[in-house]
């Protein structure tokens, strides 16, 4: 049972006829059901279905202003949705969901790790490194995190630093319009072709 639901149950024990608490209990149960369906789909690698289930959980969460918007449940559903969208390579939508999640709950290392991976896909290396460092800091302080979690984050941070270093060097293959598996002869031809383009016209 979630913390939110525990609080609602305690409130109903004190006042069984409290109408708003009853409505809130029903909504929280429905949100958790939808979120769990999303988790099941995610574990089966059914990314599209996972996104749909998490989306429905979020819609249900947003359904009533007077009942509140369920900060932690909302943040978790958004982070899970972002992770599923990341798997689908829908990076912009994933980033939007991830940012919204971290606005509600700024510190979970898993959510920071997800956003770091999104930034990496978007080639935003500085932001990637910042989020991995924050994730490592939070994981080191979070009781639910293990040493394996921290080590995995450190490994990802190392990869991100390498990617940042590469991003600051010129990609000559890209400049020449060649793939990295091309032959030396092909590279020479491409270089000659580019050189010819930039030669000053004869007078």
């Amino acid at each position: 049972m979630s913390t939110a639901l525990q609080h609602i149950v305690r409130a109903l024990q004190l006042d069984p006829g409290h109408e708003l608490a009853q409505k809130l209990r029903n909504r929280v149960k429905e949100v958790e059901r939808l979120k769990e369906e999303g988790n099941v789909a995610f574990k089966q690698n059914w990314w599209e279905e996972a996104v749909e289930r998490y989306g429905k959980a979020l819609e249900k969460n947003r359904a009533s202003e007077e009942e509140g918007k369920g900060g932690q449940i909302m943040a978790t559903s958004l982070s899970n949705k972002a992770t599923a969208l990341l798997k689908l390579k829908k990076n912009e939508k994933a980033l939007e969901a991830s940012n919204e999640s971290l606005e509600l709950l700024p510190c979970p290392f898993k959510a920071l790790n997800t956003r770091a991976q999104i930034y990496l896909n978007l080639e935003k290396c500085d932001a990637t490194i910042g989020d991995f460092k924050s994730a490592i800091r939070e994981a080191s302080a979070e009781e639910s995190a293990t040493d394996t979690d921290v080590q995995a984050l450190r490994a990802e941070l190392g990869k991100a630093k390498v990617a940042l270093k590469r991003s600051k060097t010129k990609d000559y293959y890209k400049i020449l319009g060649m793939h990295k598996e091309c032959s030396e002869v092909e590279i020479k031809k491409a270089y000659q072709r580019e050189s010819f383009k930039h030669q000053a016209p004869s007078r």
Side-chain angles (χ1 to χ4, degrees), residues 105-116:
L105 205 63
C107 296
F109 78 92
K110 289 182 179 178
L112 287 164
N113 177 43
T114 294
R115 192 171 68 176

Side-chain angles (χ1 to χ4, degrees), residues 30-42 46-61 77-78 80-81 84:
E30 179 67 4
V31 168
E32 290 194 337
R33 181 185 67 79
L34 289 165
K35 183 165 70 69
E36 183 54 34
E37 287 177 2
N39 292 344
V40 170
F42 188 94
W46 299 337
W47 315 125
E48 293 280 4
E49 185 174 338
V51 170
E52 181 187 0
R53 294 285 100 187
Y54 293 137
K56 287 187 176 180
L58 290 165
E59 287 174 12
K60 194 73 178 176
N61 230 354
S77 297
L78 282 162
N80 290 349
K81 182 181 177 182

Side-chain angles (χ1 to χ4, degrees), residues 107-114 131 134-140 142 144-146 149-150 153:
C107 296
F109 78 92
K110 289 182 179 178
L112 287 164
N113 177 43
T114 294
D131 269 359
S134 295
I136 291 167
R137 184 172 60 251
E138 295 302 328
S140 299
E142 199 169 306
S144 63
T146 65
D149 290 325
V150 176
L153 288 167

Side-chain angles (χ1 to χ4, degrees), residues 7-192:
H7 288 316
I8 297 164
V9 168
R10 289 195 193 105
L12 286 170
Q13 286 172 346
L14 296 171
D15 185 1
H18 196 290
E19 186 177 346
L20 184 59
Q22 289 174 349
K23 287 182 179 179
L24 184 56
R25 177 190 58 190
N26 293 338
R27 185 165 64 88
V28 169
K29 282 184 175 181
E30 179 67 4
V31 168
E32 290 194 337
R33 181 185 67 79
L34 289 165
K35 183 165 70 69
E36 183 54 34
E37 287 177 2
N39 292 344
V40 170
F42 188 94
K43 289 174 184 176
Q44 296 293 326
N45 298 338
W46 299 337
W47 315 125
E48 293 280 4
E49 185 174 338
V51 170
E52 181 187 0
R53 294 285 100 187
Y54 293 137
K56 287 187 176 180
L58 290 165
E59 287 174 12
K60 194 73 178 176
N61 230 354
R62 293 184 173 110
S64 175
E65 288 286 346
E66 68 177 358
E67 294 172 21
K69 290 187 176 182
Q72 184 167 358
I73 297 174
M74 186 86 158
T76 302
S77 297
L78 282 162
S79 183
N80 290 349
K81 182 181 177 182
T83 306
L85 286 165
L86 175 62
K87 295 290 186 180
L88 291 166
K89 302 189 185 303
K90 295 182 178 180
N91 296 302
E92 296 293 347
K93 289 184 177 180
L95 182 59
E96 185 180 332
S98 186
N99 283 339
E100 192 176 349
S101 171
L102 286 163
E103 282 175 12
L104 288 169
L105 205 63
C107 296
F109 78 92
K110 289 182 179 178
L112 287 164
N113 177 43
T114 294
R115 192 171 68 176
Q117 298 288 351
I118 297 166
Y119 279 139
L120 189 61
N121 282 358
L122 293 170
E123 298 183 352
K124 296 182 177 181
C125 296
D126 287 324
T128 299
I129 289 171
D131 269 359
F132 275 134
K133 286 181 176 179
S134 295
I136 291 167
R137 184 172 60 251
E138 295 302 328
S140 299
E142 199 169 306
E143 290 183 3
S144 63
T146 65
D147 289 341
T148 302
D149 290 325
V150 176
Q151 288 170 7
L153 288 167
R154 290 189 187 281
E156 291 298 324
L157 174 60
K159 292 177 186 177
K161 286 180 176 179
V162 170
L164 177 61
K165 187 175 180 180
R166 285 178 181 167
S167 73
K168 292 181 177 179
T169 61
K170 289 183 179 179
D171 187 343
Y172 291 102
Y173 289 101
K174 188 174 182 179
I175 291 169
L176 294 173
M178 306 296 290
H179 56 81
K180 294 185 179 181
E181 291 77 25
C182 61
S183 68
E184 186 177 344
V185 173
E186 289 173 317
I187 292 172
K188 285 180 179 179
K189 286 181 179 178
Y191 178 77
Q192 288 170 355

